[in-house]
Amino acid sequence: MKMKMGLLWVLLVVTVMVLNHSSPCSAWFGFGNRHNKASRNSVLPAQPSIIKRSSHGSSIVIPLYGNVYPVGFYNVTLRIGQPPRSYFLDVDTGSDLTWLQCDAPCTHCSETPHPLYKPSNDFVACKDPLCASLQPSDDYECENPDQCDYQIDYADQYSTLGALVNDVYLLNFTNDVQLKVRMALGCGYDQTFSPSYHPLDGILGLGRGKTSLVSQLNGQGLVQNIVGHCLSSQGGGYVFFGNVYGSFRVSWTPMSPTDSKHYSAGPAELAFGGKKSGAGTLTALFDTGSSYTYFNSKAYKTFISWLKKELHKVPLDVAADDQTLPICWRGKKPFQSIREVKRYFKPLALTFSNGGKVKTLFEIPLEGYLILSNMGNVCLGILNGSEVGLGDLNIIGDISMQDKVMVFDNEKHLIGWAHADCTRPPRSRAFSISSY
């Protein structure tokens, strides 16, 4: 689920559907000998059995680049194809499919940092389980049995059209093994762009579905079905696959049993400055596809009312001329750091009940909901989700996950976090996750 603000994407709901019979994808992929059985044979020999034996100790750590502001997103560099070529991918824990803007040829593609991806001729079949996971229903029809067509539509009028292919990812594991791993990805050859789109080569899908990269790696026995990230407020950080933490004491809360698609934990109670907000319980979804955090209308209005009371007698004025975010404040002179307003703003917290057991606290310091604009003002990085079509859903975005290790354990169905210096990725070969 991608939701960017300003120069960024504002992606609300991902809907996947089967392409209709007029699809240009089927016209291009449907001719020639691209669908013969030989073309879909594995392009790599079977992986060594040692990887199967060491799967629970294997992990992958990949550096992140970017920031919440002014870049507006975090991305990784992955090497894909034969020969491997580098691509910049926006990291999204709110969606499953990893895809690249693709020269198939491309009907509509944006400017990209690298040449468009040249697709392999190893197509995922229409009735393959990976393809089925991308369709809106189990009884979908196949225009071409040898080809998996998909369409992803976003609520900000952004969309991508493509076909699913298998290709090689060149990956470095923490046990000093480098492997060429063959996995599925989307060849996106027809995109409709929103005005806020920021050029990248594609999207790295880290959700819970079958096409997610962590699901595919786990399916090959390479890593445990655990994915996570550490976003630095200084910029950069890292994303990881597998079990990688021993030096952090992680606070855990169960994944929501009613949402099998997202990293959702709930219900939670919102507190301002250590006091209950009175906004009721919130269902919270952790999503790196969103630069900022979104509250539902009731929680947002309660939060804004609280802020107005807190700021009533402080030397801050609303900076209406600063369009960085909907609400910004200026001081007597431009601020140089968020720390300068620490005495005016109090921390927030989400308290997860964990089904009546010991409560788990997710703290959001003022750095987790304020940014410093290029005009030297402080701006509120919590937005009204109901105004952009989210209904009662609440999104915990990048801004509120900074300087925390976030762990999404799909095997135990747990979400965990711990304070961390995200500028220092783990280097040890022996990792384990500890908890309270």
Side-chain angles (χ1 to χ4, degrees), residues 232-390:
S232 174
S233 60
Q234 305 302 310
Y238 53 92
V239 63
F240 59 89
F241 301 88
N243 188 349
V244 299
Y245 281 97
S247 59
F248 294 93
R249 292 185 63 82
V250 179
S251 299
W252 297 101
T253 193
M255 292 182 184
S256 172
T258 61
D259 187 348
S260 60
K261 296 182 178 180
H262 304 108
Y263 297 119
S264 177
E269 187 172 61
L270 182 62
F272 305 145
K275 298 180 180 179
K276 294 180 180 180
S277 67
T281 56
L282 283 68
T283 299
L285 189 158
F286 294 87
D287 184 8
T288 58
S290 174
S291 301
Y292 299 106
T293 290
Y294 291 78
F295 288 164
N296 65 40
S297 183
K298 181 181 179 180
Y300 180 79
K301 289 176 180 178
T302 303
F303 176 50
I304 295 300
S305 177
W306 174 77
L307 273 179
K308 287 180 178 179
K309 292 179 182 178
E310 291 292 316
L311 302 177
H312 179 61
K313 295 183 179 181
V314 304
L316 292 176
D317 296 316
V318 174
D321 59 329
D322 193 336
Q323 301 298 305
T324 303
L325 286 169
I327 301 178
C328 296
W329 298 272
R330 64 163 50 90
K332 293 181 179 179
K333 60 181 181 179
F335 297 111
Q336 302 297 317
S337 168
I338 293 293
R339 290 190 298 271
E340 295 179 45
V341 299
K342 191 168 185 178
R343 62 186 181 275
Y344 307 138
F345 294 88
K346 295 180 180 179
L348 312 179
L350 286 169
T351 303
F352 296 93
S353 62
N354 295 342
K357 299 178 182 179
V358 178
K359 295 183 178 181
T360 306
L361 194 68
F362 184 86
E363 297 177 295
I364 305 177
L366 67 160
E367 295 88 352
Y369 67 90
L370 295 175
I371 66 161
L372 185 66
S373 78
N374 58 13
M375 296 178 66
N377 302 318
V378 290
C379 299
L380 182 62
I382 294 179
L383 310 176
N384 189 339
S386 299
E387 291 183 350
V388 292
L390 288 177

Side-chain angles (χ1 to χ4, degrees), residues 140-221:
Y140 66 96
E141 296 181 1
C142 294
E143 181 183 353
N144 188 330
D146 294 329
Q147 179 176 307
C148 176
D149 297 329
Y150 67 83
Q151 179 174 328
I152 302 177
D153 294 320
Y154 304 98
D156 66 342
Q157 299 181 344
Y158 182 87
S159 67
T160 180
L161 212 70
L164 206 60
V165 299
N166 292 304
D167 211 337
V168 173
Y169 293 69
L170 186 62
L171 299 173
N172 296 314
F173 288 73
T174 54
N175 57 5
D176 293 333
V177 173
Q178 185 182 78
L179 289 177
K180 292 181 178 179
V181 183
R182 183 168 162 270
M183 292 183 289
L185 73 152
C187 164
Y189 64 87
D190 190 356
Q191 280 69 239
T192 301
F193 302 101
S194 67
S196 59
Y197 174 71
H198 195 101
L200 280 169
D201 294 310
I203 300 295
L204 175 62
L206 300 179
R208 301 176 66 183
K210 291 182 179 180
T211 57
S212 174
L213 209 61
V214 65
S215 297
Q216 293 192 66
L217 287 167
N218 176 256
Q220 295 192 33

